[in-house]
Amino acid sequence: MFKRSGYSPLRGLVFVCIAVAPAVAQYDPPAGYYNSAVGLTGAPLKSALNAIIDGHTTITYANREARLEILDQDPANSANVIEVYSGYSVPKTDFLPGVTPANTEHLWPNAYGIDDVNPAYGDLFNLRPCDTEVNSERANKYYDDGGTLPAHPEAPLCRDDADSWEARPVEKGDLARSMFYMDTRYEGDLATDGFANNLTLTDNVALITGTATNMGKLSTLINWHFSDAVDESERQRNHIIYQTTYLGVTFQQNRNPFIDHPEYVWAIWGPTPNDSRLYLGATEPGDGASLVAVDLGEVIVNGTVPGPQNVTLNKVGTNPTTYDIALSGDGSSTAAGTRQSFLGGVQNRVIAVGLTTSTATAGVKSGELTVNNTDLTSSGAGRGDADGDDVADVSLRVLDHANGSFDDAVDQNTLTLDFGTVDAGTGLHNLGFTIYSLESTPGFTAALDLDAIGGTGDTAALTTDAAPLSNLPAGTGQAFTAWLDSASVGSFSATYTISGSDQDLSGAQPTSDLVLTLVGEVVSACAAADTNCADGVTLDDVEPFVNVLLELASPCSSCAVDTNNDNFRNAADVQLFVDALLGI
């Protein structure tokens, strides 16, 4: 037997019922195709779907190969097709009438009401390439779970028993939707369906194995449908069958409604109105509508958008359901897509939600992820069709760069503080200053970090308590103090460079340096009567004394002439000056 390729025993296994089907617009049905089915459930819905999809172009069984070679082509090898049940990739040259081991499988067995009557016998939704021996082993067995024996060495993940066949997990949903199509398409009206038999899905094994027109098991196929959601390859196959011609080959020009609208399955065959409820987050809402906030935090202009955060999508209720996940705004999620499903019972799924956005400008960036329970029936408030939409509201704050300044209104990066002239030995003299974090964009400006302070010059005499700090909010300031130490006489100057940056967020950059210059002079202490500051009281001090009192000259020092130390230079100082002059 020739070698088969492309098979993996774990390929497509569904451990939790959360398969995702990408929304591929080119495979969507044309607008209005299902209009006549809108608002219907149960038998009226099934009848409306039959009217939509019957009367298609008949493909004879003898002409199936060229079409199946297109429909079931191996995406990894255009010279091969993929066999049903095994998943093996086999050459198209082996898929010819009479060639072993490749042949064609009727998913709904001919013995169950089809025989060799067209159009059902050659319906492309019911035909798949298959290994001859596997086809023979499957025979007329209905689909069901719980087979006890490996079906065949060429289909190791399939299992069977005397009457039933369990397919690989990856194809269970595909097979189930083919069965729903056959039941709906071939209702037994010869005039409209071109087919006399009424194909019917059932759980009644006696009816199935009685080789009538029944197939099953219905409950298992419903479960398979929800456990293996519609995927892109199945949608593509469906859309090709719908074409008038494709790659020069004619096709049926009808669609499988249960691929386009998987919610139709429960609406037709569900034994009860749907009681499912979906919600995001920890709290189950009574109406089924939930809202969770996903805060991605803050970045600075041109910073990297933070990664997505996880939210939990919960499902309660005994029934399975289908749902869509849509994005709006700048919302992003790999979980987005239509035709997704949950099995019955309590289920949950972790969804990563984020943003795909530009951070080139400051402001709030936002988007939404919306979960829509697409079931068409409802058992009550907030259930099934009445289940409200669930929204994850995602936001990110983008901040403008910080800006440090010595002024609270304008960008001032330099400041000079002059202590003037002080007397030696008079202790520390201080001046205050404030560093402001300017608000460049109101409400969206990063906080300011002061990272380092470095001084040059006379830093022993001129000091400051300015020190590193973090997250000075925009629109606020931090007060500091500078000091001149009068312990030593002389003229002093020191320069302090204050380096800053944005707060510690993605996109942070250094800010412009702030430069603080301190200057001051320390002079020797003087006697007030030494009005010419000549280190002694002599007759030479008389004239300067008189001139200062008459405001004809300025004092030579801060204390000159003010002999009584009352901060005034007036007649009250004369007697003390005379006493000093006379040495009294």
Side-chain angles (χ1 to χ4, degrees):
M1 188 168 291
F2 60 83
K3 180 181 179 182
R4 293 166 172 79
S5 63
Y7 171 77
S8 169
L10 294 180
R11 178 173 173 244
L13 279 179
V14 180
F15 297 101
V16 180
C17 178
I18 55 172
V20 177
V24 183
Q26 68 264 35
Y27 304 145
D28 286 345
Y33 187 79
Y34 292 105
N35 275 0
S36 61
V38 173
L40 302 178
T41 60
L45 173 59
K46 188 165 182 270
S47 178
L49 295 178
N50 171 265
I52 292 170
I53 65 175
D54 68 2
H56 62 74
T57 298
T58 297
I59 306 298
T60 64
Y61 185 73
N63 291 323
R64 71 197 183 280
E65 285 92 352
R67 289 152 181 85
L68 294 182
E69 286 177 4
I70 293 172
L71 294 171
D72 298 297
Q73 178 176 291
D74 183 349
N77 183 352
S78 62
N80 285 17
V81 292
I82 299 295
E83 292 179 324
V84 72
Y85 305 137
S86 68
Y88 286 130
S89 178
V90 300
K92 291 178 179 178
T93 53
D94 294 307
F95 181 57
L96 296 170
V99 174
T100 300
N103 75 345
T104 303
E105 163 73 325
H106 282 84
L107 305 179
W108 188 299
N110 296 337
Y112 293 162
I114 295 180
D115 298 323
D116 58 354
V117 179
N118 286 325
Y121 191 59
D123 196 308
L124 296 173
F125 284 111
N126 193 45
L127 301 180
R128 296 294 176 91
C130 187
D131 179 272
T132 299
E133 294 180 3
V134 173
N135 192 344
S136 177
E137 184 71 25
R138 190 257 166 149
N140 298 331
K141 295 172 182 177
Y142 58 86
Y143 294 122
D144 196 11
D145 288 323
T148 58
L149 300 172
H152 190 275
E154 295 300 319
L157 287 185
C158 296
R159 303 186 72 81
D160 68 347
D161 58 22
D163 298 313
S164 67
W165 182 271
E166 181 177 1
R168 296 181 301 141
V170 71
E171 65 187 6
K172 284 182 174 180
D174 304 53
L175 300 178
R177 287 179 282 275
S178 293
M179 297 302 93
F180 298 135
Y181 165 87
M182 294 295 285
D183 185 327
T184 302
R185 167 64 183 86
Y186 299 105
E187 291 195 326
D189 188 328
L190 186 60
T192 58
D193 295 340
F195 190 75
N197 291 331
N198 184 19
L199 302 186
T200 305
L201 292 171
T202 180
D203 271 352
N204 190 323
V205 173
L207 290 178
I208 299 170
T209 57
T211 65
T213 58
N214 300 289
M215 178 59 181
K217 293 176 54 175
L218 175 58
S219 59
T220 298
L221 292 170
I222 291 173
N223 189 64
W224 285 10
H225 166 70
F226 287 100
S227 71
D228 175 29
V230 177
D231 63 19
E232 183 177 336
S233 64
E234 189 178 3
R235 294 189 65 207
Q236 182 186 43
R237 192 180 196 276
N238 180 40
H239 200 65
I240 293 174
I241 293 176
Y242 173 69
Q243 305 306 304
T244 303
T245 60
Y246 184 80
L247 298 180
V249 180
T250 59
F251 282 89
Q252 291 182 186
Q253 300 176 62
N254 72 337
R255 305 179 70 88
N256 183 336
F258 308 102
I259 296 174
D260 290 329
H261 288 279
E263 66 272 17
Y264 288 164
V265 170
W266 192 265
I268 295 173
W269 288 282
T272 62
N274 198 278
D275 69 352
S276 66
R277 173 178 290 160
L278 307 180
Y279 65 94
L280 294 169
T283 303
E284 179 183 350
D287 60 359
S290 60
L291 174 65
V292 296
V294 179
D295 185 358
L296 298 185
E298 296 177 328
V299 299
I300 297 173
V301 166
N302 294 322
T304 301
V305 176
Q309 294 184 13
N310 290 337
V311 297
T312 300
L313 173 60
N314 301 283
K315 183 263 176 191
V316 296
T318 59
N319 303 143
T321 195
T322 52
Y323 62 95
D324 296 339
I325 297 180
L327 300 171
S328 60
D330 292 332
S332 67
S333 176
T334 57
T338 59
R339 303 168 180 85
Q340 304 187 53
S341 60
F342 272 121
L343 286 168
V346 175
Q347 307 279 319
N348 65 72
R349 174 187 180 188
V350 176
I351 295 174
V353 185
L355 292 175
T356 300
T357 189
S358 169
T359 61
T361 58
V364 174
K365 314 300 177 179
S366 63
E368 289 185 344
L369 176 147
T370 301
V371 182
N372 173 31
N373 187 336
T374 55
D375 199 90
L376 301 177
T377 65
S378 174
S379 66
R383 302 286 180 175
D385 182 52
D387 182 8
D389 286 351
D390 307 292
V391 177
D393 189 354
V394 194
S395 63
L396 170 68
R397 286 171 50 85
V398 179
L399 308 180
D400 206 348
H401 291 289
N403 188 10
S405 172
F406 288 114
D407 188 278
D408 64 351
V410 297
D411 188 13
Q412 179 183 330
N413 294 335
T414 62
L415 177 67
T416 299
L417 297 181
D418 189 348
F419 289 86
T421 301
V422 300
D423 293 331
T426 55
L428 295 176
H429 297 258
N430 65 78
L431 293 173
F433 66 97
T434 300
I435 294 178
Y436 296 94
S437 177
L438 297 183
E439 190 169 33
S440 304
T441 301
F444 296 96
T445 303
L448 174 67
D449 286 354
L450 299 183
D451 300 317
I453 292 88
T456 59
D458 300 317
T459 57
L462 293 163
T463 58
T464 178
D465 64 354
L469 60 81
S470 298
N471 298 334
L472 179 62
T476 68
Q478 177 65 50
F480 296 103
T481 303
W483 289 278
L484 170 62
D485 188 346
S486 63
S488 301
V489 174
S491 295
F492 302 103
S493 175
T495 298
Y496 287 92
T497 300
I498 305 170
S499 300
S501 66
D502 296 315
Q503 66 185 100
D504 189 13
L505 294 172
S506 175
Q509 294 181 359
T511 60
S512 297
D513 287 346
L514 300 178
V515 179
L516 174 67
T517 301
L518 306 178
V519 296
E521 182 180 10
V522 179
V523 297
S524 299
C526 63
D530 185 12
T531 57
N532 66 357
C533 298
D535 295 329
V537 181
T538 65
L539 290 174
D540 292 335
D541 292 302
V542 173
E543 183 178 357
F545 181 84
V546 173
N547 288 338
V548 171
L549 285 182
L550 297 177
E551 297 184 354
L552 298 176
S554 299
C556 64
S557 72
S558 59
C559 65
V561 180
D562 184 18
T563 57
N564 64 357
N565 196 30
D566 64 355
N567 293 322
F568 294 100
R569 297 179 178 88
N570 51 34
D573 296 302
V574 174
Q575 184 61 53
L576 292 176
F577 173 72
V578 173
D579 290 345
L581 183 62
L582 298 176
I584 300 175

